[in-house]
Amino acid sequence: MPTNRFVENGFWNFDALFQPQQHPARDAHDTFFISDPEVTDKSKLPAEYLERVKTTHETGGYGSTGYNYDWKIFEAQKNILRTHTTAVSARMLYELAQQKEFKPVKMFSIDRVFRNETLDATHLAEFHQIEGLVADRNLTLGHLIGTLYAFFKKLGLEKLKFKPAYNPYTEPSMEIFSYHPGLKKWVEIGNSGMFRPEMLLPMGIPKDVNVIAWGLSLERPTMIKYGINNIRELIGPKVNLNMVQENPICRLNKV
């Protein structure tokens, strides 16, 4: 997926994902807002799709009652540093829905995201997200769990836990945890789920198509694999450059 858009607008980062405008993740204590330019011109947003998103938020549809609030275009136009590469997934799925005939797809990316986090041993304000989705008919939660197990097995991480979670844009949703021996605790390494009809159907994705998706940490699994106890040793001003120069290139284990 093309991920070179660090500055995103609220529409693709939040609204298209059926995330309500009063959600705490859209506040300044979680998100970095851009002051210049402050907003995206409305003409750059797909007009008919925007109206369907607005209606789904306000009154529902597609089997949903919506959130029953007054959706505001200004909130959707606000420019931010993207908080997840799921905004890119939303753009790509919308493009997929515009095709005359649906064809199953797999899409992947690794790139940088930004959140107004308090820095500690496992949190950064600027980090990398491993994004992926599969769109096809007859997909289930079992396909998602199997995909994630296979992915982390390639990294050498087999001690996993899946925990039910809530995301505005996925149902069912799961957080993924792996055990960090150095920190002696289970660490969240990703979030995942099946995209909701309220997200997919306004785009024009066929009703019988399911989309499994995940957004995984890059830094935290690396910490577990290489026994690093502080994420700031991997990225940021505290990185030991001698460590970077002297260590071999990371290679995935053969399975």
Side-chain angles (χ1 to χ4, degrees):
M1 291 187 277
T3 56
N4 58 342
R5 188 191 299 268
F6 286 3
V7 175
E8 188 54 273
N9 54 63
F11 179 77
W12 289 110
N13 198 87
F14 297 121
D15 295 281
L17 301 178
F18 195 54
Q19 188 157 330
Q21 294 185 335
Q22 63 271 34
H23 194 283
R26 302 181 71 151
D27 292 340
H29 66 266
D30 275 342
T31 298
F32 293 110
F33 289 86
I34 305 298
S35 59
D36 187 18
E38 183 180 4
V39 298
T40 294
D41 192 285
K42 184 180 177 181
S43 64
K44 295 184 178 180
L45 302 175
E48 292 183 7
Y49 173 48
L50 184 145
E51 286 301 316
R52 292 195 295 271
V53 169
K54 175 180 184 291
T55 300
T56 306
H57 278 246
E58 290 186 335
T59 59
Y62 314 103
S64 171
T65 60
Y67 292 117
N68 297 304
Y69 73 99
D70 292 327
W71 186 90
K72 296 179 175 60
I73 182 62
F74 179 71
E75 292 294 327
Q77 290 176 273
K78 286 182 179 178
N79 287 328
I80 61 170
L81 291 178
R82 68 178 178 210
T83 62
H84 49 191
T85 45
T86 314
V88 183
S89 294
R91 286 178 176 271
M92 297 303 293
L93 285 170
Y94 175 73
E95 289 184 14
L96 176 68
Q98 308 318 301
Q99 297 178 2
K100 291 183 179 180
E101 181 180 353
F102 171 79
K103 294 182 180 179
V105 296
K106 298 176 182 179
M107 301 182 186
F108 311 99
S109 68
I110 302 176
D111 212 334
R112 198 162 293 193
V113 296
F114 310 86
R115 295 181 193 173
N116 195 1
E117 298 269 15
T118 299
L119 305 187
D120 60 26
T122 57
H123 292 85
L124 292 169
E126 181 179 346
F127 55 98
H128 295 84
Q129 183 166 318
I130 303 168
E131 182 84 9
L133 67 85
V134 181
D136 202 349
R137 293 177 171 89
N138 301 314
L139 291 175
T140 68
L141 191 65
H143 291 102
L144 176 59
I145 293 173
T147 299
L148 294 171
Y149 262 120
F151 176 81
F152 284 113
K153 188 176 182 181
K154 285 273 189 180
L155 295 179
L157 275 62
E158 298 190 45
K159 208 171 184 179
L160 301 178
K161 282 185 178 180
F162 295 90
K163 176 185 174 183
Y166 169 76
N167 296 316
Y169 41 91
T170 56
E171 178 62 37
S173 309
M174 300 183 304
E175 293 172 341
I176 309 113
F177 291 80
S178 185
Y179 189 75
H180 192 304
L183 298 177
K184 296 181 180 179
K185 66 177 183 179
W186 290 88
V187 175
E188 184 184 351
I189 56 174
N191 208 326
S192 64
M194 302 184 69
F195 282 139
R196 295 178 65 110
E198 295 97 327
M199 173 186 167
L200 299 177
L201 297 183
M203 294 177 173
I205 297 289
K207 290 183 179 180
D208 60 343
V209 170
N210 304 117
V211 182
I212 59 174
W214 54 90
L216 312 176
S217 168
L218 175 63
E219 287 82 5
R220 289 181 185 175
T222 305
M223 290 171 64
I224 296 171
K225 182 175 178 65
Y226 291 103
I228 297 171
N229 294 338
N230 194 321
I231 197 169
R232 288 167 287 191
E233 295 176 15
L234 283 176
I235 181 171
K238 294 186 177 181
V239 170
N240 183 341
L241 295 182
N242 288 332
M243 179 270 291
V244 176
Q245 294 167 355
E246 294 171 2
N247 278 281
I249 296 174
C250 171
R251 297 188 182 278
L252 301 183
N253 297 335
K254 292 183 178 180
V255 177

